[in-house]
């Protein structure tokens, strides 16, 4: 069983994992842009920050003996995420569109934060 704080950590971990995966896929397309010298460094910096956060969250979850076991797509609308804890396994159901929206917002917030730091 996981408590609400652990569930929030798991949720953030999942969002960051999805953001990293999406950006890695998109990065291949950015390399083909005419202005890739502008966008590639932005993507590199964003990926570096998200990977750092990802590994920190993974470490925190590991210390609490919580790990992601796997994703299972239920249908086009929902996916289940299986989480292993020291007590037993937990299955969390997520709406795919909600995950996509949250990942987009996470990336936008990271970009906005970087822009504010530079100005």
């Amino acid at each position: 069983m996981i408590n609400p704080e652990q569930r929030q950590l798991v949720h953030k971990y999942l969002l960051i994992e999805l953001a990293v995966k999406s950006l890695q896929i998109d990065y291949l397309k950015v390399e083909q842009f005419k202005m890739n010298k502008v966008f590639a460094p932005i993507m590199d910096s964003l990926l570096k920050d998200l990977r750092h956060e990802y590994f920190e969250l993974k470490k925190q979850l590991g210390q609490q003996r919580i790990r992601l076991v796997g994703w299972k797509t239920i249908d086009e609308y929902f996916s289940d995420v299986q989480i292993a804890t020291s007590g037993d396994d937990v299955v969390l159901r997520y709406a795919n569109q909600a995950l996509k929206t949250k990942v987009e917002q996470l990336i936008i917030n990271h970009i906005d934060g970087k822009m504010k730091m530079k100005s």
Side-chain angles (χ1 to χ4, degrees), residues 81-97:
V81 178
Q82 185 175 1
I83 308 296
T85 66
S86 57
D88 60 288
D89 289 358
V90 177
V91 176
L92 306 174
R93 180 156 291 176
Y94 286 94
N96 296 332
Q97 186 60 45

Side-chain angles (χ1 to χ4, degrees), residues 12-22 54 68 71 106:
K12 189 171 183 182
Y13 173 80
L14 293 172
L15 292 178
I16 291 175
E17 180 182 41
L18 288 171
V20 168
K21 286 180 180 181
S22 295
Y54 171 82
L68 175 80
W71 286 85
L106 175 86

